[in-house]
C-alpha cells in the first residue's frame, strides 16, 4: 500500500449501501434507538480513511442520491464516491454510523476498489 501511495497523486473509491426497508406497520409508526413511537434520527454515515481522515457530509465525501430513505419493501441503494488528491486518505478502512438502526432493515455494503492515479 505504501508503494501505491508514494507513486500516486490522486485516488478514488466508491462504497454502496444496499438496503431493504420493510413498510411501516402504519403511517404514524416511527422508530428510534429508544424504541417504537419515538422519532428516528437519520444520521449520515461517516467514513475513516487510511490515514485517519474522517469523511463526513461536509468533506470530500460526494453522496449520490440516497435511495435508502425509501421504505417500500424493495431493495434500494445509496452510493458514496470519494475522490482526493491526497492518495494517503484512501482506501476507506472503517464505516461509522451506517443507516441500519431501524427495525426490519437489512443492509449490505459493497466496497469498490481504490483507483490510484
Amino acid at each position: 500500500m505504501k508503494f501505491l501511495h508514494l507513486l500516486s497523486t490522486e485516488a478514488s473509491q466508491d462504497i454502496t449501501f444496499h438496503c431493504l426497508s420493510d413498510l411501516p406497520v402504519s403511517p404514524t409508526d416511527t422508530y428510534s434507538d429508544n424504541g417504537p413511537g419515538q422519532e428516528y434520527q437519520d444520521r449520515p454515515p461517516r467514513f475513516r480513511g487510511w490515514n485517519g481522515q474522517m469523511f463526513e457530509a461536509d468533506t470530500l465525501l460526494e453522496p449520490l442520491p440516497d435511495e435508502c430513505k425509501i421504505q417500500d419493501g424493495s431493495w434500494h441503494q445509496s452510493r458514496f464516491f470519494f475522490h482526493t488528491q491526497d492518495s494517503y486518505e484512501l482506501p476507506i478502512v472503517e464505516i461509522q454510523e451506517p443507516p441500519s438502526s431501524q427495525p426490519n432493515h437489512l443492509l449490505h455494503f459493497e466496497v469498490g476498489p481504490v483507483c490510484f492515479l
Side-chain angles (χ1 to χ4, degrees):
M1 188 61 70
K2 192 171 196 170
F3 184 69
L4 287 171
H5 286 144
L6 288 172
L7 292 178
S8 304
T9 59
E10 295 180 48
S12 61
Q13 182 178 20
D14 68 305
I15 294 180
T16 305
F17 293 172
H18 299 274
C19 47
L20 173 66
S21 296
D22 285 346
L23 292 169
V25 176
S26 73
T28 59
D29 283 352
T30 57
Y31 303 99
S32 74
D33 294 335
N34 300 325
Q38 297 185 13
E39 192 64 32
Y40 169 70
Q41 297 295 322
D42 188 24
R43 297 181 188 130
R46 297 169 24 137
F47 302 89
R48 186 167 59 87
W50 181 263
N51 67 351
Q53 168 74 33
M54 291 304 295
F55 294 95
E56 300 179 34
D58 296 331
T59 62
L60 296 175
L61 176 62
E62 296 179 29
L64 301 175
D66 183 7
E67 296 177 1
C68 283
K69 293 180 181 180
I70 301 171
Q71 295 185 0
D72 61 0
S74 299
W75 282 94
H76 296 281
Q77 62 183 345
S78 293
R79 298 186 66 193
F80 298 89
F81 181 72
F82 304 87
H83 181 85
T84 179
Q85 292 186 357
D86 181 0
S87 63
Y88 285 91
E89 293 179 345
L90 295 178
I92 297 299
V93 296
E94 183 180 357
I95 301 171
Q96 298 178 354
E97 301 177 14
S100 63
S101 58
Q102 291 180 315
N104 303 320
H105 188 94
L106 299 175
L107 186 64
H108 168 73
F109 298 113
E110 181 180 339
V111 180
V114 180
C115 179
F116 291 100
L117 303 171

